[in-house]
Amino acid sequence: MKELHVTSVAEEHEMTCWGCGSHLLLSSYAPIFKCGWCGAITNQNAQKSENKGFLWRRLLDRCFVCLLIIFMLFVICGGVWAAYPIVFSISNYWGIFNSITTVLLSVATTSTFILVAFRCAGAPPVIQWGSYRVVGKGRLEDYTFCHYCSKPKSPRTHHCRSCGMCILDMDHHCPFIGNCVGAANHRSFIFFLISAVASTLYVSILSAYAACHLWPPLKLGTLNISRGSSNILAFNTVKTILFGFLRSAEFLSARGFVLAYLFVSCLSVQIGLSVLLWQQLCYIYQGNTYLSHLSSQGSDAVVQRDCQNIARFFGFSHSALRYLPRFQNPRKRHKK
């Protein structure tokens, strides 16, 4: 007669899935486990930490938004006041062309900025959870539980402590727009960067052209070229020209100072926005967001990199995607 061995399961090995409420018996204690029915991932060690400084962060974000709006209005109004009398003095056709270009760039930049700053970045879809009767098999595959929002969080969702909510396909939280960049406003954010780069480039060129007509004659000092190496000669030449600009700036009018400030500020902003735009387009080309790129570093996940990711992001039709080039991932080619 066979002997029957009865083993008891420790109470700590009995886990409850937050997604469907099923009771699971695990062979060993695991703080993180995945439900075999609904696919939800439960993390027993996850705890809700205090969201300190939430109001302070929101206040800083709104201050950055206000400063950016003031700067945009200054660029538009200051450029019109300082440059357009000089532009219209050249010819009326050139002045009308610049007026139409200014209106188009101003409307495009301000409208896309308003959409990005004041539109929800993308709330995750509402899904039923918590009970075995309402959750089907695999309905919560790889979902986790957000202890801040007290609701399910999909694999492509991240919780932003600055906005106080979960964001679908969150790329990053931008303090200059006071909002996150996610599934609902990512495309508007790219359009804002494109229009802002084009606007600052146009203003910097226009202000430099207008400033050349208003700048007083340069008062260059004597340049000693009798002795010294070529490096010293080049340094003295640059120094002489720089001091000549500074001496002539004493007689510059208020309109000229505004044009000089517009040129320097727009050029610096243009460089920063161009770098950010290039970085965003590279992530879109890779089929990632900034946060997903950080989480995928060091992993062996195969990423499909091609121009169709960019076309799909901007909403081109499927019939036009076949004319775009496709590139095979080098890791995948090496495995073959």
Side-chain angles (χ1 to χ4, degrees), residues 253-288:
S253 61
R255 196 184 302 273
F257 276 112
V258 172
L259 290 172
Y261 176 78
L262 285 176
F263 173 76
V264 174
S265 60
C266 289
L267 186 62
S268 58
V269 171
Q270 176 195 344
I271 294 174
L273 292 179
S274 300
V275 173
L276 180 59
L277 177 61
W278 176 256
Q279 183 188 50
Q280 287 289 312
L281 292 178
C282 288
Y283 290 145
I284 296 172
Y285 171 78
Q286 297 172 3
N288 287 329

Side-chain angles (χ1 to χ4, degrees), residues 16 22 26 39 101 140 168 274 284-285 303 314 330:
T16 303
S22 302
L26 304 181
T101 305
L140 298 176
L168 182 63
S274 300
I284 296 172
Y285 171 78
V303 181
F314 287 106

Side-chain angles (χ1 to χ4, degrees), residues 191-204:
F191 285 135
F192 165 69
L193 292 179
I194 295 174
S195 60
V197 169
S199 300
T200 51
L201 177 61
Y202 179 76
V203 172
S204 60

Side-chain angles (χ1 to χ4, degrees), residues 18 120-129 139-141 143-144 146 149-158 165-170 183-184:
W18 64 265
C120 179
V126 179
I127 188 169
Q128 294 180 331
W129 63 281
R139 292 291 301 274
L140 298 176
E141 187 68 24
Y143 272 67
T144 56
C146 180
C149 301
S150 298
K151 61 182 182 180
K153 184 171 64 174
S154 65
R156 299 180 296 113
T157 302
H158 299 272
M165 61 178 295
C166 288
I167 306 296
L168 182 63
D169 285 341
M170 178 178 172

